[in-house]
Amino acid sequence: MIDDNLPEGFIRIDFDRGLPDPTFNTHIGPLYAKRGEKGTRDEFVMGVRVRPHMCNPTGGMHGGMMMSVADLVGTMGAGTLAGLRKFLPTVSMTFDFVAPARIGDWVEGRAEIVRQTRSLLFSTIYLTVGEEKILRASSIAKIPSGDGPAFGKARLAREEAGAAALPPR
């Protein structure tokens, strides 16, 4: 089994929220996040240590896994940057696979907001290994009217973090 050996500040995301059956996001993970200072490139970062079940037969991170992580970064990450605390369904995404990630690599995902309208959030997502970009994606997410389901239902597993809890927002 691969030791995730998390970089400082990352905490496991609990997508199941105590549900009896695991969600899709739990099956593909574990996935991690860290929150940094507002307005910085580290305001929301998703991370994953590449494990064998995430890979194709050649040992590279499967394209579908890369797209799933980018989709979550585009909704959770860009939503956080925009100050939205609700579930944002993806309307459209495009992907460019730039380089592979291998078993044991630490992959990070960051979003940049391109534009926000009343009902749509446009973002660019990059997945990286170190400083190397491995995937670029463009995302359009729907901003539901009203309150809608809260994004916060997928919570960071703070009990695992102990004193390394995320900074207050």
Side-chain angles (χ1 to χ4, degrees):
M1 177 149 184
I2 303 251
D3 177 9
D4 283 344
N5 191 25
L6 303 178
E8 186 176 344
F10 281 89
I11 299 172
R12 185 180 59 82
I13 303 170
D14 177 12
F15 289 103
D16 291 340
R17 312 165 307 277
L19 297 173
D21 295 315
T23 64
F24 172 79
N25 294 336
T26 298
H27 283 294
I28 65 170
L31 301 174
Y32 302 90
K34 78 172 181 177
R35 302 278 302 273
E37 188 175 331
K38 188 163 182 59
T40 68
R41 74 183 291 269
D42 289 338
E43 184 174 347
F44 181 95
V45 184
M46 186 171 286
V48 60
R49 179 74 62 196
V50 180
R51 295 179 176 199
H53 77 274
M54 301 170 179
C55 292
N56 61 33
T58 66
M61 189 177 203
H62 192 281
M65 178 67 187
M66 293 169 76
M67 291 188 294
S68 293
V69 172
D71 182 34
L72 290 167
V73 172
T75 55
M76 292 174 70
T80 297
L81 298 178
L84 302 169
R85 297 291 298 165
K86 57 173 96 175
F87 177 77
L88 305 176
T90 304
V91 175
S92 177
M93 283 193 87
T94 60
F95 303 89
D96 297 310
F97 300 94
V98 180
R102 301 280 175 207
I103 293 174
D105 283 348
W106 177 255
V107 175
E108 292 186 354
R110 290 176 174 80
E112 299 172 3
I113 294 176
V114 175
R115 182 167 191 249
Q116 180 179 349
T117 68
R118 181 183 55 76
S119 61
L120 296 173
L121 181 62
F122 298 80
S123 63
T124 299
I125 298 100
Y126 292 99
L127 299 185
T128 59
V129 173
E131 296 299 315
E132 182 180 18
K133 291 178 179 160
I134 63 167
L135 179 134
R136 176 184 62 193
S138 294
S139 173
I140 304 170
K142 171 78 174 140
I143 302 172
S145 59
D147 291 336
F151 149 109
K153 299 226 181 203
R155 67 180 182 269
L156 298 177
R158 294 174 195 258
E159 66 277 1
E160 293 178 7
L166 297 176
R169 305 291 300 150

